[in-house]
């Protein structure tokens, strides 16, 4: 693995949800990329937040939804 980190990591940083996709996107050149989704909203104490992560393999778009509203997205394209 060449000391690379692989997998999905979900954490809370400064009361905000962060989801990181470590080297899960592979390109023809053999390169892998890491992308992240970060909530712009702080999580509220003693209140549920319904979270959905969506990845469309056809378009390469990853999205983060909180309480039914899109809060962040990335496009996993080779640039």
């Amino acid at each position: 693995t060449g000391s690379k980190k692989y997998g999905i990591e979900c954490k809370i940083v400064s009361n905000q949800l962060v989801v990181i996709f470590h080297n899960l996107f592979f390109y023809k050149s053999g390169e892998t990329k890491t992308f992240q989704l970060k909530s712009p909203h702080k999580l509220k104490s003693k209140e549920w937040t319904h979270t959905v992560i969506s990845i469309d393999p056809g378009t390469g778009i990853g999205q983060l939804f909180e309480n039914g509203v899109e809060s962040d997205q990335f496009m996993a394209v080779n640039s």
Side-chain angles (χ1 to χ4, degrees):
T1 63
S3 299
K4 282 187 176 181
K5 192 174 191 177
Y6 292 89
I8 300 171
E9 180 179 12
C10 182
K11 56 187 178 179
I12 297 172
V13 178
S14 300
N15 287 337
Q16 293 173 291
L17 180 66
V18 179
V19 181
I20 305 168
F21 300 86
H22 294 283
N23 294 297
L24 290 182
F25 297 91
F26 182 80
Y27 300 95
K28 289 181 183 179
S29 65
E31 175 186 20
T32 60
K33 287 193 176 185
T34 295
F35 293 93
Q36 82 171 16
L37 295 167
K38 182 177 180 183
S39 172
H41 313 290
K42 291 192 180 269
L43 296 171
K44 296 178 183 170
S45 179
K46 299 181 183 180
E47 189 175 306
W48 283 96
T49 299
H50 297 272
T51 305
V52 174
I53 306 294
S54 169
I55 299 191
D56 183 344
T59 62
I61 295 175
Q63 297 170 294
L64 170 65
F65 293 90
E66 293 177 294
N67 296 323
V69 178
E70 183 181 339
S71 57
D72 195 16
Q73 76 170 6
F74 66 77
M75 182 172 279
V77 294
N78 196 9
S79 52

